[in-house]
Amino acid sequence: MVSYALQVPSEYGYVLTVAASSLFVNTLHFFLTANARKASGLKYPIPYASQEQAEKDPKAYAFNCAQRAHANFTENLTPFLGALLISGLHFPTASAALGATWVFGRFWYALGYTSSGPQGRLKGFALSVLSDLSLKVMAVIASVKMLPIS
């Protein structure tokens, strides 16, 4: 087994900046969900309004939308960060650009879902899923390029 030192490209700081900025999307979700919870009157530890509550009360429905948007973000953050950080080892500038696109898409997704319900999330979803898929493909390519094949 041959070992080698991992050197990151000089542009890798852009990748890390995008990774750090993605954490603020979670902060946005925190505020959107907290405000929707307060408006709905649903107390902790209730994770979602029941279907009956959501059908009768628009504020309970809005809370469910905010809560689901937040959950979807947390489901997608770890794979995004992994793809971003790995792909950035070989494609730092392209990865940073695609990562910034993902972050923008997730902001759009959060604001759209919480203001307009499920239909409001679609444009932000499309933007983030396309950039995410590109990052994942680039992460595989970057990983293969690092294999010790002679």
Side-chain angles (χ1 to χ4, degrees):
M1 174 164 91
V2 177
S3 63
Y4 59 93
L6 178 65
Q7 293 184 340
V8 297
S10 59
E11 299 89 357
Y12 201 72
Y14 296 120
V15 174
L16 295 176
T17 301
V18 169
S21 71
S22 72
L23 305 176
F24 289 99
V25 179
N26 191 56
T27 304
L28 172 66
H29 279 289
F30 166 78
F31 285 109
L32 292 171
T33 304
N35 289 338
R37 179 181 289 280
K38 185 176 180 182
S40 73
L42 293 165
K43 305 292 182 202
Y44 286 104
I46 298 169
Y48 288 95
S50 68
Q51 183 170 346
E52 182 180 317
Q53 288 173 306
E55 288 172 352
K56 291 180 182 177
D57 183 0
K59 291 179 181 178
Y61 180 78
F63 170 69
N64 281 1
C65 290
Q67 188 78 319
R68 183 63 202 125
H70 192 193
N72 184 269
F73 173 74
T74 60
E75 293 162 4
N76 284 278
L77 181 61
T78 302
F80 160 73
L81 288 173
L84 174 69
L85 297 173
I86 294 168
S87 66
L89 292 171
H90 195 74
F91 308 102
T93 306
S95 296
L98 286 166
T101 302
W102 186 88
V103 170
F104 177 76
R106 294 311 303 198
F107 267 102
W108 196 0
Y109 180 100
L111 296 173
Y113 207 157
T114 56
S115 66
S116 303
Q119 284 299 110
R121 69 183 164 60
L122 297 178
K123 291 178 183 174
F125 171 78
L127 191 60
S128 63
V129 79
L130 290 173
S131 55
D132 185 58
L133 181 59
S134 299
L135 285 168
K136 288 174 180 171
V137 170
M138 290 166 52
V140 171
I141 293 168
S143 299
V144 169
K145 287 181 177 274
M146 294 181 75
L147 292 174
I149 299 171
S150 357

